[in-house]
Amino acid sequence: MWNLFQPKASRSRGRRRGDQIWLFLLFLGVVGYLVWDAYLRPIPPVYKASGGLELYFAPEQGRAAKGRLIGLIGAAQNRIEVAALELEDREIGQALVQAAARGVRVRMLNDSDYRRETHESLGVSSSSPARCETLQRIQVCYDSRPNALMHHKFVVVDDLGVWTGSTNLTWNAFERNNENSLWLPVPGLVQVYRAEFEALFAGQENGLGRSARFQIGSTLGAVYFSPAGGQKARNAILELLGRAQREIWVAAYVLTDTRIVEALVKAHRRGVQVRVVIDARNLSNSRDETLKQASIDVRKDGNPYTMHHKIIVVDGEWVITGSYNFTNSGFGRNNENLLILRDSTLAQRYKREVEAVWRAGTRL
């Protein structure tokens, strides 16, 4: 009531100060909630597993990785969902056919550019132009968008876990290319990936884009889906790069996202050691010149086939991986899944892989 006796100008200034304080408190509340939601919110038990994470690097461990995937398919009892850019491996194809023959419900989503490879891998002949068809008791649908890729590489097995990473389901991917594959045995992740698959399979071709946090042993993780959740995925990458303090290692099949390139340059300028290796075939499409102009040590890879990684390792503690290429299409058009993992032991394994690829490359 005392402000009634103040001059009007004074009361106006007081109200403005009060409004500013309330806006500031509101801002703090919003930021606090976002931090809590992203990092401090308890992870529900269904998104936790005591252990069992598996990591494979091809080509050195490519045969072991494919053998493990075929074993998982062979052990399935109820259902398998496959979302893969392409299926061009007859061993994996026949494992899926055998699973379907013994009564497992097998469904698969591929990019429409790879119908022929799917038919050959499943041992069938078909000229159907339909979006969906049944092949060897397997329900197969194809993405129909003309300017985007169904770029996932994941397999969901029963309620046991999710197989994902950079590795296409092709012979070359396991035998020749630089790739990484993960087995994530978390029931909650099964639910998240399966929900994304169900939407895509039903024709909702941008997906759901629901992110989720999870934990496997000491490994903390988050998963994001593009394009519906692509901006959130991209922001998570940029935030992590913005917090880097010591070092960033990048192995990129292609690198065209200017925001990510800018974040790498800014990190380098504030004293973070940044090292980048890019697939030699994609240099003409990537922004390696911007990195070189900033005096960042960037190399083209030395694999005569394909360096297909999409890996960033930050400060020996954080790993970014998945099917997500570091491009505008990666967050804006294509179907992708991005994983951000926090575990120093796991990060060191990824760092050794990226460093080996980087050292085998040629400085630009």
Side-chain angles (χ1 to χ4, degrees):
M1 59 178 283
W2 300 107
N3 64 351
L4 296 177
F5 298 96
Q6 295 176 351
K8 289 184 178 181
S10 177
R11 293 204 303 269
S12 178
R13 286 194 298 271
R15 282 195 297 272
R16 285 199 297 271
R17 282 197 297 270
D19 291 342
Q20 291 170 351
I21 291 172
W22 279 111
L23 287 172
F24 179 69
L25 292 174
L26 178 62
F27 171 77
L28 287 180
V30 170
V31 171
Y33 173 79
L34 292 175
V35 170
W36 176 81
D37 184 56
Y39 303 108
L40 303 176
R41 182 200 290 267
I43 298 174
V46 72
Y47 290 96
K48 288 185 177 182
S50 59
L53 182 151
E54 299 175 26
L55 170 62
Y56 301 88
F57 292 114
E60 291 81 4
Q61 298 173 310
R63 293 187 181 182
K66 185 163 73 171
R68 176 60 167 144
L69 176 57
I70 290 173
L72 290 166
I73 293 170
Q77 297 182 1
N78 299 304
R79 57 193 297 183
I80 298 171
E81 288 87 18
V82 181
L85 173 73
E86 56 181 316
L87 173 64
E88 193 177 1
D89 186 290
R90 295 195 177 187
E91 290 181 273
I92 297 174
Q94 289 310 299
L96 292 170
V97 169
Q98 291 166 12
R102 67 175 185 268
V104 176
R105 186 189 186 197
V106 181
R107 293 179 295 164
M108 181 161 57
L109 180 70
N110 298 140
D111 191 83
S112 59
D113 290 341
Y114 297 96
R115 284 177 181 260
R116 178 182 60 81
E117 290 81 358
T118 296
H119 296 159
E120 291 177 354
S121 297
L122 296 179
V124 299
S125 176
S126 174
S127 58
S128 171
R131 179 180 177 271
C132 298
E133 56 185 341
T134 299
L135 307 170
Q136 300 275 50
R137 300 184 183 180
I138 298 173
Q139 295 174 278
V140 183
C141 290
Y142 304 94
D143 181 88
S144 62
R145 296 168 300 167
N147 298 313
L149 292 175
M150 206 304 298
H151 197 243
H152 285 305
K153 303 98 172 46
F154 71 76
V155 181
V156 183
V157 181
D158 288 335
D159 293 326
L160 300 177
V162 177
W163 180 276
T164 189
S166 71
T167 314
N168 286 313
L169 303 187
T170 68
W171 186 88
N172 276 336
F174 289 100
E175 293 285 341
R176 292 174 169 174
N177 298 349
N178 296 110
E179 307 274 10
N180 65 101
S181 301
L182 286 159
W183 170 245
L184 306 172
V186 185
L189 274 186
V190 169
Q191 296 174 12
V192 173
Y193 274 87
R194 183 166 284 149
E196 186 73 9
F197 176 88
E198 294 288 359
L200 298 174
F201 200 74
Q204 188 176 335
E205 294 184 323
N206 283 340
L208 300 177
R210 295 174 183 167
S211 59
R213 293 167 57 235
F214 62 93
Q215 182 173 357
I216 305 174
S218 61
T219 304
L220 297 173
V223 61
Y224 304 87
F225 294 95
S226 298
Q231 191 60 61
K232 191 171 184 180
R234 187 197 202 195
N235 288 342
I237 295 172
L238 295 173
E239 179 190 355
L240 187 54
L241 294 178
R243 291 193 284 115
Q245 297 179 351
R246 300 189 307 278
E247 62 176 11
I248 299 172
W249 290 86
V250 181
Y253 175 63
V254 61
L255 179 57
T256 62
D257 187 331
T258 56
R259 292 284 305 281
I260 291 178
V261 172
E262 289 169 2
L264 293 172
V265 171
K266 287 179 181 178
H268 172 73
R269 287 174 177 166
R270 66 175 183 268
V272 177
Q273 185 179 61
V274 179
R275 290 173 174 171
V276 179
V277 58
I278 301 172
D279 180 72
R281 300 187 308 170
N282 280 310
L283 285 176
S284 60
N285 298 320
S286 296
R287 298 188 177 274
D288 56 293
E289 287 296 331
T290 304
L291 299 174
K292 288 192 296 180
Q293 289 171 7
S295 299
I296 291 175
D297 197 337
V298 56
R299 303 186 179 192
K300 65 177 181 179
D301 85 292
N303 188 330
Y305 299 102
T306 302
M307 200 289 292
H308 198 238
H309 286 314
K310 306 96 168 49
I311 299 172
I312 301 177
V313 184
V314 177
D315 289 343
E317 185 175 6
W318 297 86
V319 176
I320 298 169
T321 189
S323 71
Y324 182 110
N325 284 314
F326 305 123
T327 65
N328 290 335
S329 296
F331 77 88
R333 285 198 297 272
N334 297 344
N335 297 116
E336 309 278 11
N337 65 100
L338 174 79
L339 293 163
I340 297 184
L341 307 170
R342 184 178 187 182
D343 182 322
S344 58
T345 301
L346 186 69
Q348 289 304 315
R349 292 181 64 187
Y350 271 97
K351 176 184 172 180
R352 286 195 295 271
E353 170 69 10
V354 176
E355 184 173 1
V357 174
W358 180 83
R359 290 191 182 281
T362 303
R363 189 169 185 174
L364 297 175

